[in-house]
């Protein structure tokens, strides 16, 4: 009896095994990049490990730097009143673009920058905090539009992002995720920074990858967010060079500076004591003349007039002048401090031997200077939530820039820092909101760096340019998802042909209902 049962079980097992084998024969084999094979014996088999993706020979490291809320006429490199020697050093051996354009607010610019597509295609027609359930505005980064980091990673690059992100839906910024629209879900292998529009420079809310960073770390003496971000980025480059020196890297460095709050060490504010006592009318006119001398605007350009809504400097009383002058001193110190820290990052990268193998894209401003401070700026409010009067605010004037205030300068300073253009951040219909400088540095690879590049360029052109420099054909499919076409145009052709006709022929702008088209 036992023998019969065993024979039946064996017969059934044989039938089952044959059925499974037949079913498997109709399935595709597991895909593998390995060229090895499994033969009947070990001696006849050929071992070979699957190979990771490798960058094309000569593909450069890419450093992409983006500052926040800096106007076209803010930095000394473009004629402005704020000293930026590190940016100047980069510009001296690099390329200056005077017709580079961004979107008029933070999230839209960043989405276009990191994808090569227009902001509405990326669902960021507005900032993430103002997302709405309409196509182009819901802040849900589409799978059909892979980030430049994702494409570079799949082509052999190491990738990392530091600082401000601002491209994750606000309802997904939780410990539960989902995390596919956080930086590490969009192609960055490492992230250290913050996810929203702004944070304190003294006591920031930070994440490392998808986990909250230790909030007590910011309480150490001398802490400042920009310094911390540079330290972390330098450490990442060191680790990369030690452990993966055969791979190029893509480093995206986006500061919280100089977005409100204007937080900066006091010694940097002191550098600008009395420098803005002449007022915004005079500062704007001086910048305009320097811009002509530098060749970043045409010699026959005309300065746009002050809008009637902005008060003339001479119409202010002494207390008002004292307060708003201090606000601008704080901002100028903030921008100079940021320039110093970015310079420290670039110096560290060069010290690691990365010069001719590294291209740097430096964008001082994700939109025009911010006019969101109101006509008298803002700092403190009373216990009833109402703004304090000027005399009360003057009692705290020396504390501006410190951790107790979310301070911002007066609207007219934004107008001055956007010289020579009209309007400011949030406005897409005029260049004050949509034109910012661009510096590109690639030692040994560009001709006539002293010639200003005047071709029309847009923030969505950065990703296509990176692809061309890395010899990457933009993919039609990423992670099994068909991709939307790039809408930007590579401007690598301008590197060695400063007089070449521009190739970006049409570009629209839209923000909060204001519109423009080139």
């Amino acid at each position: 009896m036992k023998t019969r049962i065993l024979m039946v079980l064996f017969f059934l097992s044989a039938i089952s095994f044959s059925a499974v084998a037949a079913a498997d024969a109709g399935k595709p084999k597991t895909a593998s990049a390995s060229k090895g094979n499994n033969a009947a014996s070990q001696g006849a088999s050929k071992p070979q490990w699957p190979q990771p993706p490798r960058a094309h020979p000569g593909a450069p490291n890419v450093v992409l730097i983006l500052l926040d809320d800096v106007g076209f006429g803010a930095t000394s490199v473009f004629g402005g009143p704020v000293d930026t020697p590190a940016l100047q050093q980069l510009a001296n051996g690099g390329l200056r673009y005077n017709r580079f354009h961004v979107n008029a607010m933070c999230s839209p610019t960043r989405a276009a920058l990191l994808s090569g597509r227009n902001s509405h295609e990326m669902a960021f027609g507005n900032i993430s905090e103002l997302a709405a359930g309409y196509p182009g505005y819901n802040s849900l980064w589409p799978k059909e539009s892979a980030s430049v980091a994702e494409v570079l990673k799949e082509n052999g690059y190491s990738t990392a992002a530091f600082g401000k992100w601002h491209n994750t839906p606000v309802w997904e910024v939780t410990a539960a995720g989902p995390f596919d629209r956080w930086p590490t879900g969009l192609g960055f292998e490492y992230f250290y920074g913050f996810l929203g529009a702004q944070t304190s420079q003294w006591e920031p809310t930070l994440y490392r990858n998808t986990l909250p960073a230790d909030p007590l770390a910011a309480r150490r003496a001398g802490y400042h967010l920009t310094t911390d971000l540079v330290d972390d980025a330098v450490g990442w480059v060191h680790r990369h060079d030690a452990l993966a020196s055969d791979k190029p890297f893509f480093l995206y460095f986006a500061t919280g500076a100089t977005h409100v709050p204007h937080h900066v060490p006091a010694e940097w504010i002191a550098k600008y004591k009395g420098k803005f006592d002449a007022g915004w009318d005079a500062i704007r006119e001086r910048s305009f003349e320097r811009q002509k001398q530098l060749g970043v605007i045409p010699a026959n350009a005309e300065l746009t007039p002050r809008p009637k809504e902005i008060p003339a400097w001479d119409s202010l009383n002494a207390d008002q002048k004292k307060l708003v002058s201090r606000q601008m001193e704080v901002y100028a110190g903030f921008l100079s401090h940021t320039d110093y820290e970015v310079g420290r990052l670039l110096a560290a990268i060069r010290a690691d031997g990365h010069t001719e193998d590294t291209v740097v894209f430096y964008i001082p401003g994700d939109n025009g200077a911010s006019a969101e401070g109101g006509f008298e700026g803002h700092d403190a409010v009373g216990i009833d939530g109402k703004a304090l009067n000027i005399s009360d605010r003057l009692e705290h004037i020396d504390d501006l820039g410190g951790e107790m205030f979310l301070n911002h300068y007066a609207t007219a300073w934004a107008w001055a820092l956007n010289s020579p253009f009209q309007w400011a951040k949030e406005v897409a219909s005029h260049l004050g909101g949509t034109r910012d400088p661009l510096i590109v540095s690639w030692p040994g690879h560009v001709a006539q760096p002293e010639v200003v590049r005047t071709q029309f360029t847009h923030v969505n052109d950065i990703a296509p340019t990176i692809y061309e420099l890395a010899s990457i054909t933009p993919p039609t499919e990423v992670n099994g998802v068909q991709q939307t076409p790039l809408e930007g145009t590579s401007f690598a052709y301008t590197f060695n042909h400063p007089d070449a006709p521009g190739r970006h022929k049409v570009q629209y702008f839209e923000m909060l209902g204001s519109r423009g088209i080139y």
Side-chain angles (χ1 to χ4, degrees):
M1 185 69 176
K2 289 182 178 179
T3 302
R4 290 179 180 177
I5 292 174
L6 289 173
M7 290 179 66
V8 169
L9 289 174
F10 177 80
F11 179 72
L12 292 174
S13 298
I15 294 175
S16 175
F17 179 81
S18 298
V20 170
D24 284 347
K27 292 180 180 179
K29 294 182 179 179
T30 302
S32 174
S34 174
K35 295 181 180 179
N37 61 49
N38 297 321
S41 66
Q42 181 178 357
S45 300
K46 179 184 177 182
Q48 184 174 2
W49 294 100
Q51 295 299 305
R54 295 189 180 277
H56 292 276
N61 303 315
V62 178
V63 178
L64 176 57
I65 300 167
L66 180 67
L67 304 190
D68 203 327
D69 286 7
V70 181
F72 181 88
T75 68
S76 55
V77 180
F78 274 67
V82 183
D83 292 330
T84 48
L87 182 62
Q88 185 67 61
Q89 180 183 1
L90 199 70
N92 288 345
L95 311 175
R96 288 180 296 165
Y97 289 79
N98 69 346
R99 294 179 66 210
F100 178 75
H101 298 80
V102 292
N103 296 309
M105 289 188 79
C106 307
S107 301
T109 288
R110 294 157 199 272
L113 172 68
L114 294 173
S115 70
R117 298 164 176 92
N118 287 322
S119 56
H120 295 78
E121 181 74 34
M122 299 304 300
F124 280 98
N126 210 325
I127 59 173
S128 55
E129 290 83 356
L130 299 179
Y134 303 102
Y137 297 90
N138 60 31
S139 78
L140 297 171
W141 188 300
K143 304 295 185 184
E144 296 82 6
S145 301
S147 76
V148 63
E150 182 70 27
V151 174
L152 291 176
K153 177 170 68 74
E154 293 302 314
N155 280 273
Y157 274 72
S158 299
T159 60
F162 302 86
K164 177 173 173 174
W165 179 246
H166 210 192
N167 284 124
T168 299
V170 292
W171 59 91
E172 293 185 356
V173 183
T174 75
F179 300 109
D180 56 333
R181 292 187 178 90
W182 288 46
T184 51
L186 290 169
F188 288 103
E189 298 166 309
Y190 179 81
F191 169 67
Y192 181 60
F194 62 100
L195 295 172
Q198 66 186 56
T199 193
S200 169
Q201 300 290 310
W202 302 116
E203 298 179 345
T205 300
L206 301 176
Y207 291 87
R208 194 179 303 278
N209 299 319
T210 60
L211 297 177
D214 180 7
L216 296 180
R219 300 308 299 158
R220 65 181 183 269
Y223 180 89
H224 190 276
L225 176 56
T226 313
T227 305
D228 184 19
L229 294 175
V230 170
D231 289 346
D232 209 76
V234 170
W236 181 84
V237 173
H238 289 339
R239 292 192 300 275
H240 171 273
D241 287 353
L243 302 172
S245 59
D246 58 327
K247 298 176 64 177
F249 62 79
F250 172 50
L251 192 160
Y252 173 49
F253 189 84
T255 64
T258 55
H259 195 285
V260 65
H262 298 165
H263 285 167
V264 61
E267 60 268 25
W268 287 90
I269 303 172
K271 295 176 183 291
Y272 290 94
K273 180 70 174 177
K275 294 292 182 66
F276 299 100
D277 290 353
W280 41 66
D281 292 293
I283 294 297
R284 181 174 167 89
E285 290 169 2
R286 293 172 187 174
S287 295
F288 179 66
E289 293 305 319
R290 284 193 298 267
Q291 288 170 332
K292 286 186 175 182
Q293 295 167 10
L294 291 170
V296 296
I297 63 173
N300 62 349
E302 295 182 7
L303 184 60
T304 54
R306 172 170 35 80
K308 64 181 184 301
E309 294 86 359
I310 291 179
W313 179 257
D314 291 340
S315 70
L316 275 59
N317 63 40
D319 283 351
Q320 289 174 317
K321 289 180 178 179
K322 183 178 180 180
L323 177 62
V324 297
S325 293
R326 177 65 173 180
Q327 293 168 356
M328 187 58 203
E329 293 169 8
V330 172
Y331 177 81
F334 194 20
L335 181 52
S336 281
H337 175 261
T338 305
D339 176 74
Y340 169 80
E341 290 294 343
V342 172
R344 194 165 64 86
L345 169 64
L346 295 175
I349 292 172
R350 288 191 293 267
D352 275 4
H354 298 303
T355 53
E356 293 190 3
D357 67 348
T358 302
V359 58
V360 178
F361 297 86
Y362 190 159
I363 308 169
D366 58 351
N367 41 242
S370 169
E372 297 161 323
F375 290 127
E376 293 181 342
H378 68 74
D379 39 72
V381 295
I383 57 175
D384 58 358
K386 296 181 180 179
L388 300 177
N389 59 42
I390 294 293
S391 60
D392 289 336
R393 293 170 67 186
L394 285 174
E395 294 181 8
H396 305 285
I397 191 171
D398 293 332
D399 297 323
L400 296 183
E403 62 187 23
M404 297 304 294
F405 296 98
L406 298 177
N407 50 294
H408 197 345
Y409 57 39
T411 291
W413 288 123
W415 169 70
L417 296 179
N418 286 325
S419 173
F421 306 121
Q422 299 180 76
W423 290 95
K425 175 184 178 180
E426 296 190 10
V427 180
S429 59
H430 290 76
L431 295 176
T434 59
R435 184 172 290 185
D436 265 310
L438 167 66
I439 304 294
V440 179
S441 173
W442 195 14
H445 294 270
V446 296
Q448 297 178 283
E450 71 282 356
V451 178
V452 174
R453 274 32 176 196
T454 61
Q455 293 87 354
F456 181 98
T457 46
H458 188 268
V459 68
N460 62 21
D461 295 335
I462 297 289
T465 304
I466 292 173
Y467 292 150
E468 181 174 347
L469 300 183
S471 300
I472 295 172
T473 300
T476 57
E477 182 179 302
V478 175
N479 296 324
V481 180
Q482 288 295 119
Q483 296 293 291
T484 57
L486 298 184
E487 294 170 300
T489 303
S490 171
F491 56 88
Y493 68 94
T494 67
F495 288 6
N496 293 312
H497 299 91
D499 297 323
R503 298 180 184 176
H504 194 136
K505 301 296 186 182
V506 178
Q507 180 62 48
Y508 79 88
F509 301 87
E510 188 274 333
M511 184 59 55
L512 301 172
S514 68
R515 294 169 290 177
I517 190 164
Y518 166 76

